[in-house]
Amino acid sequence: MSIDLARTVVGAELSERSLRGFVLGLPGVDAVGLEQRAAALATRSIKTSSKRRALDTIVSLIDLTTLEGADTPGKVRSLAAKAVLPDPSDAGCPQVAAVCVYGDMVPYAVEALGAAHAGAGGSINVAAVATAFPSGRASLRVKLADTADAVAAGADEIDMVIDRGAFLSGRYSEVFDEIVAVKEACRRGDGTSAHLKVILETGELSTYDNVRRASWLAILAGADFIKTSTGKVSPAATLPVTLLMLEVVRDWHRLTGELVGVKPAGGIRSSKDAVRYLVTVAETAGERWLDPHLFRFGASSLLNDVLLQRQKLASGHYSGADYVTID
Amino acid sequence: MTFLDYAPAPESRAILNLRPSYGLFIDGEFVDGHGAPFRTISPASEETIAEISTADEHDVDLAVRAARRAYDRVWSKLSGADRGKYLFRIARLVQERARELAVAESLDNGKPIKESRDVDVPLVAAWFFYYAGWADKLDHVGLGPAPRALGVAGQVIPWNFPLLMLAWKIAPALAAGNTVVLKPAETTPLTALLFAEIVQQAGVPAGVVNIVTGAGETGRRLVNHPDVDKVAFTGSTAVGREIARSIAGTGKKVTLELGGKAANIVFDDAPIDQAIEGVVNGIFFNQGHVCCAGSRLLVQESVHDEVVDRLKARLSTLRLGDPLDKNTDIGAINSAEQLARIRELSDVGEAEGAERWSAECAIPDRGFWFAPTIFDGVSTSSRIAREEIFGPVLSVLTFRTPDEAIAKANNTPYGLSAGIWTDKGSRMLAVADRLRAGVVWANTFNRFDPASPFGGYKESGYGREGGRQGLAAYLASADARTALAPRASDASPARSDALPTPEDAKAGRAAKSRSVSSRTESSTRKGSAR
């Protein structure tokens, strides 16, 4: 179905040649202009009631993440508890959108979320990184097994990485086919599917033109979300890159009526930064995108800064790091 | 309420410490003018900000005399390095008082605080810093060793960038060793008067900078004062013509920076999202009150529909309202008079058959406002494609080939600026070479830098401001004699030297070749002009 749409948009059978023609025919990106626009959006002044609303929105859009080799079931349980009750001193604080973990940690996350898990009637999703995250350097067979394994364990969302090597050497159909295959592997026994987030690792793509091409390629191949980074490569998410990806999903929506989400991940640590992203989302793709189905922050330390800011707005004074839980 | 209804974020006016009335700034002191005082109002609310003196003939004469005295006795005797020190001091004071100046500018002019804060005031400081550095390096301006200052400069500036235009005028004049009498526009005198305070604060010798306020009559008296050696004017082409006529044969040097009707050319391979931003910035920056505004969008026919659709979508996100709110994109039109002109020309556009579209936005009850507007299907013969509207109104025209784009872009009596949007570098350079405009921006628009010369072709005026060329406009080579008409103060040592010599003709030729080289420089700069 999604492949049919891709065929319509590309206007040809999907081959190396037609995909190449399509992505190379996309309009260019002027780096200076893009960065200037992002800088202008960053000057918006979000105060008082707008700030209060923004902070709550940010919490509800966070994929609370732990992606360490040192992760343990205990660490994941603790993360899940924080996802359910971000601020124990304020029951009015919204829950986060998802917890994001490695595939082998999915069962612990599902168990720890309990009734708060989307699968059990709650609203918090479990996202798993897959496809030999973060490098993606494994055979397709391994990547698909990695994905299917996480889905079987109860993951609601799969964060895959694209093959940047193939992309940079111009093998676009290889990148495309791989995403299509992973999307297929997201399918569950009952016919439903885990949502697929496609990580472009923009820090390795190096140019904005490449980011635009990779975004289109991922969306054509069926991505539900396009995501900037693994968080393991610097630079991770930046405002200009996110702006550019938002322009792509906006254009895709205009063209097809379909909605695709965007997830900047890595490097967004302060509320102030996150508010700039909200502004960029609302003024580029539209306010409709300020919804967990269409926008996420991949972050670990951001949540605590937002909680501190919320406390400050409520009480009128700043508390400190010891007034929010570490995980 | 939605997220996009940003809560008000007004910049505080508490930082302003305005007096109820301001006099003229002559010989280092504020003095009362002898004309009938006038009020300066905020165009966003029509409230009175302060009462301003009007300089009559006698006051203008006092100011010019003060400037002459300061020139003869102090300023012309200072070393370049010492003049530079004063300019550096002014630049630093502008930075120190940046917030105050930005608030005053937005209040008096109606422009959004984000522009006065992020564009106008930083550029003002940059201009003084830049020319401060030149003050002791005049040997390298290109006029040979030891070029001479001209004397007293009479400067008249417009209301669209009140403080920035002041900086464009005063910084190079002082760096070159001239003294000045400046007249700000009658609707926006406030920041010039705050600048006078800065001049006092910086300890600039009395009489080096004089500010006279008033309407057109005051400006006319200043320009025509017999003891003014140099006239610099930025404003409308009609007034520019009048000035050129009135000073013809007097030996006064003149630079005129006048109107424009710039073409912003969008080719089908343009980086589309950035081109849209550039077109928006090109015409809606400062409510379109910009002489170099990209008021004619020339878009390649094959991408016309897409560009216009995207433009409309983007314009719908612009926020019109209180200039002091930090989230305002479009402020108030500067005056009732200007608003009437914009309305009149827009009505003409409609009557001539162009398709009018305005962004939907709530217009405040008081003050002067005009919603961002696009006219599609405009023909080259239409008045809105030929006359400067000086407001937030964009005319959209199409072209099919680069030759057609160039022909249409050049088909205007003006020639101040132009823009090119394409991903193809060779096309960019080829087109830029054939555009008759003083500044050509490529893949950007409305970027200013003190090192880059700015000025027009044809009815957009003559002379260049900014860079080395802008400095040369306030200097004469050591062996050239600029003042042809004898004058009482000719006995002063600074001007009693040479008689007209054959060198004059040579200097004239040199000046011509200079302007050619400035053109080349500006066209090679454009990629990095930001």
Side-chain angles (χ1 to χ4, degrees):
Chain A
M1 141 105 190
S2 133
I3 292 298
D4 288 342
L5 190 56
R7 248 181 234 124
T8 315
V9 170
V10 172
E13 281 305 310
L14 300 173
S15 63
E16 179 63 54
R17 193 187 157 97
S18 65
L19 280 172
R20 184 184 189 78
F22 182 81
V23 298
L24 296 185
L26 292 165
V29 182
D30 185 78
V32 173
L34 177 70
E35 287 168 8
Q36 213 172 292
R37 172 68 180 144
L41 285 164
T43 66
R44 288 289 191 214
S45 184
I46 305 303
K47 301 290 183 206
T48 59
S49 57
S50 288
K51 184 171 183 183
R52 196 166 293 126
R53 182 195 179 103
L55 292 174
D56 279 2
T57 307
I58 293 167
V59 174
S60 72
L61 295 176
I62 288 179
D63 279 3
L64 196 59
T65 302
T66 182
L67 294 170
E68 303 296 334
D71 284 346
T72 58
K75 163 89 179 169
V76 170
R77 281 188 204 107
S78 170
L79 191 80
K82 175 115 180 166
V84 175
L85 190 59
D87 187 347
S89 69
D90 179 3
C93 181
Q95 295 181 336
V96 302
V99 291
C100 181
V101 294
Y102 270 113
D104 61 335
M105 291 291 144
V106 169
Y108 306 108
V110 170
E111 184 208 330
L113 285 175
H117 182 223
S123 65
I124 304 176
N125 283 339
V126 173
V129 296
T131 69
F133 179 95
S135 69
R137 295 259 65 86
S139 70
L140 180 59
R141 201 159 43 87
V142 171
K143 291 181 189 178
L144 295 181
D146 193 8
T147 307
D149 192 42
V151 173
D156 307 287
E157 302 170 1
I158 296 296
D159 289 25
M160 71 167 286
V161 291
I162 64 164
D163 185 342
R164 284 88 76 188
F167 180 87
L168 290 172
S169 54
R171 289 175 274 134
Y172 298 124
S173 66
E174 203 173 308
V175 177
F176 180 90
D177 292 343
E178 194 170 283
I179 299 170
V180 171
V182 173
K183 171 107 180 167
E184 192 54 40
C186 287
R187 207 182 283 268
R188 302 191 189 94
D190 62 0
T192 60
S193 268
H195 275 237
L196 179 63
K197 304 201 199 94
V198 178
I199 303 171
L200 310 180
E201 196 65 300
T202 54
E204 288 185 351
L205 297 185
S206 165
T207 70
Y208 292 125
D209 283 330
N210 278 343
V211 172
R212 171 169 279 174
R213 289 168 187 162
S215 298
W216 274 96
L217 209 52
I219 293 173
L220 285 170
D224 298 304
F225 258 81
I226 48 176
K227 175 175 168 183
T228 60
S229 331
T230 59
K232 306 291 182 192
V233 165
S234 181
T238 66
L239 197 57
V241 155
T242 309
L243 166 61
L244 174 56
M245 290 164 63
L246 285 161
E247 287 170 350
V248 175
V249 300
R250 175 201 64 196
D251 291 350
W252 175 254
H253 176 249
R254 272 187 205 157
L255 194 63
T256 65
E258 304 274 313
L259 297 164
V260 171
V262 174
K263 177 178 172 185
I268 305 166
R269 295 192 182 87
S270 70
S271 308
K272 200 169 182 170
D273 259 358
V275 169
R276 290 173 175 161
Y277 280 84
L278 294 192
V279 166
T280 304
V281 172
E283 294 203 26
T284 307
E287 197 158 348
R288 181 178 188 175
W289 260 260
L290 290 182
D291 181 292
H293 293 105
L294 291 173
F295 192 77
R296 298 281 179 85
F297 289 106
S300 41
S301 58
L302 171 63
L303 179 58
N304 272 351
D305 189 63
V306 177
L307 296 180
L308 285 173
Q309 291 292 333
R310 284 184 85 255
Q311 290 176 359
K312 193 260 166 181
L313 272 186
S315 69
H317 58 263
Y318 285 101
S319 50
D322 289 343
Y323 293 83
V324 288
T325 57
I326 46 178
D327 57 24
Chain B
M1 193 184 124
T2 67
F3 175 72
L4 279 170
D5 294 325
Y6 300 146
E11 179 68 64
S12 169
R13 283 171 62 167
I15 193 168
L16 278 183
N17 190 14
L18 296 178
R19 304 177 215 172
S21 67
Y22 284 87
L24 313 170
F25 184 69
I26 295 176
D27 213 10
E29 300 294 335
F30 281 98
V31 297
D32 286 334
H34 294 85
F38 62 100
R39 295 172 311 138
T40 186
I41 63 164
S42 155
S45 63
E46 301 177 56
E47 59 167 325
T48 299
I49 305 170
E51 195 176 81
I52 310 289
S53 281
T54 292
D56 70 359
E57 191 162 11
H58 172 68
D59 299 318
V60 170
D61 187 52
L62 280 180
V64 174
R65 280 167 191 272
R68 172 64 61 197
R69 246 187 342 265
Y71 177 74
D72 288 343
R73 296 188 188 161
V74 186
W75 202 244
S76 64
K77 296 194 165 74
L78 278 187
S79 70
D82 284 339
R83 289 197 308 273
K85 277 182 202 167
Y86 286 111
L87 289 169
F88 277 122
R89 214 179 276 171
I90 291 172
R92 285 193 299 266
L93 285 165
V94 167
Q95 287 184 321
E96 268 176 44
R97 297 177 64 171
R99 236 181 92 208
E100 181 190 350
L101 292 169
V103 171
E105 195 76 308
S106 284
L107 191 63
D108 200 21
N109 168 281
K111 65 174 66 202
I113 186 77
K114 72 167 190 185
E115 289 178 11
S116 49
R117 177 195 66 197
D118 297 343
V119 182
D120 293 53
V121 176
L123 279 174
V124 169
W127 237 267
F128 278 100
F129 275 120
Y130 176 80
Y131 280 111
W134 265 114
D136 61 353
K137 301 172 191 71
L138 300 184
D139 288 354
H140 306 282
V141 169
L143 296 172
R148 292 189 299 115
L150 301 175
V152 175
Q155 307 176 317
V156 179
I157 58 171
W159 46 260
N160 58 342
F161 294 93
L163 192 60
L164 182 57
M165 289 301 107
L166 173 148
W168 282 32
K169 297 283 181 277
I170 292 185
L174 297 193
N178 305 272
T179 56
V180 304
V181 180
L182 176 130
K183 188 198 88 72
E186 67 268 30
T187 60
T188 56
L190 196 60
T191 43
L193 296 163
L194 294 182
F195 181 80
E197 292 177 4
I198 288 178
V199 168
Q200 285 180 324
Q201 236 181 315
V204 176
V208 171
V209 174
N210 304 274
I211 311 276
V212 292
T213 44
E217 193 49 36
T218 307
R220 205 168 286 124
R221 294 212 160 100
L222 173 58
V223 165
N224 292 323
H225 194 287
D227 205 26
V228 162
D229 302 290
K230 153 86 188 185
V231 171
F233 171 76
T234 297
S236 72
T237 296
V239 176
R241 267 205 202 93
E242 186 192 324
I243 291 176
R245 212 176 288 128
S246 71
I247 63 168
T250 62
K252 291 176 187 174
K253 257 193 146 182
V254 63
T255 42
L256 299 173
E257 202 261 272
L258 309 174
K261 193 74 193 175
N264 214 349
I265 307 172
V266 177
F267 287 99
D268 59 4
D269 68 339
I272 189 81
D273 291 304
Q274 289 73 47
I276 296 297
E277 281 310 309
V279 170
V280 170
N281 173 47
I283 183 64
F284 299 110
F285 173 62
N286 200 30
Q287 297 75 247
H289 301 329
V290 185
C291 44
C292 53
S295 49
R296 288 184 298 150
L297 170 62
L298 288 177
V299 57
Q300 194 153 1
E301 237 176 61
S302 53
V303 289
H304 166 271
D305 293 355
E306 189 185 355
V307 165
V308 171
D309 284 352
R310 284 170 181 261
L311 260 179
K312 288 178 179 171
R314 176 69 179 90
L315 290 191
S316 303
T317 69
L318 291 177
R319 289 153 192 278
L320 178 143
D322 181 7
L324 287 179
D325 191 300
K326 291 175 218 164
N327 291 323
T328 293
D329 298 314
I330 305 282
I333 301 300
N334 183 252
S335 64
E337 190 191 352
Q338 186 58 29
L339 180 60
R341 176 169 167 79
I342 297 168
R343 284 191 175 143
E344 184 205 325
L345 276 167
S346 299
D347 292 345
V348 167
E350 223 166 337
E352 284 179 337
E355 190 188 319
R356 177 178 184 159
W357 180 92
S358 291
E360 269 182 46
C361 46
I363 302 288
D365 299 333
R366 292 182 66 78
F368 317 126
W369 308 91
F370 197 88
T373 296
I374 303 177
F375 278 99
D376 198 5
V378 176
S379 57
T380 42
S381 60
S382 174
R383 267 181 76 193
I384 54 171
R386 304 204 63 76
E387 293 183 26
E388 187 175 35
I389 300 175
F390 223 62
V393 180
L394 177 68
S395 301
V396 183
L397 297 89
T398 57
F399 68 89
R400 291 157 299 177
T401 65
D403 281 345
E404 191 182 347
I406 292 161
K408 283 186 169 170
N410 287 337
N411 182 220
T412 166
Y414 297 109
L416 192 53
S417 66
I420 305 172
W421 297 86
T422 173
D423 236 12
K424 189 165 174 173
S426 57
R427 177 186 294 142
M428 195 183 277
L429 294 172
V431 172
D433 266 355
R434 293 170 58 198
L435 289 175
R436 280 177 292 156
V439 181
V440 179
W441 283 294
N443 287 354
T444 190
F445 209 91
N446 276 344
R447 305 298 286 176
F448 305 98
D449 189 290
S452 172
F454 182 92
Y457 274 44
K458 302 186 279 185
E459 287 194 22
S460 291
Y462 38 79
R464 292 291 179 266
E465 294 187 296
R468 193 166 56 78
Q469 292 77 8
L471 205 53
Y474 286 94
L475 288 168
S477 62
D479 53 1
R481 190 181 147 81
T482 51
L484 299 174
R487 142 176 11 172
S489 55
D490 259 4
S492 74
R495 50 178 53 245
S496 65
D497 42 11
L499 291 164
T501 67
E503 296 298 318
D504 280 344
K506 228 192 261 174
R509 273 202 304 281
K512 250 183 220 155
S513 65
R514 251 198 325 281
S515 73
V516 169
S517 76
S518 93
R519 163 81 184 107
T520 322
E521 268 177 33
S522 63
S523 64
T524 52
R525 277 190 57 78
K526 64 198 163 248
S528 58
R530 43 183 305 234

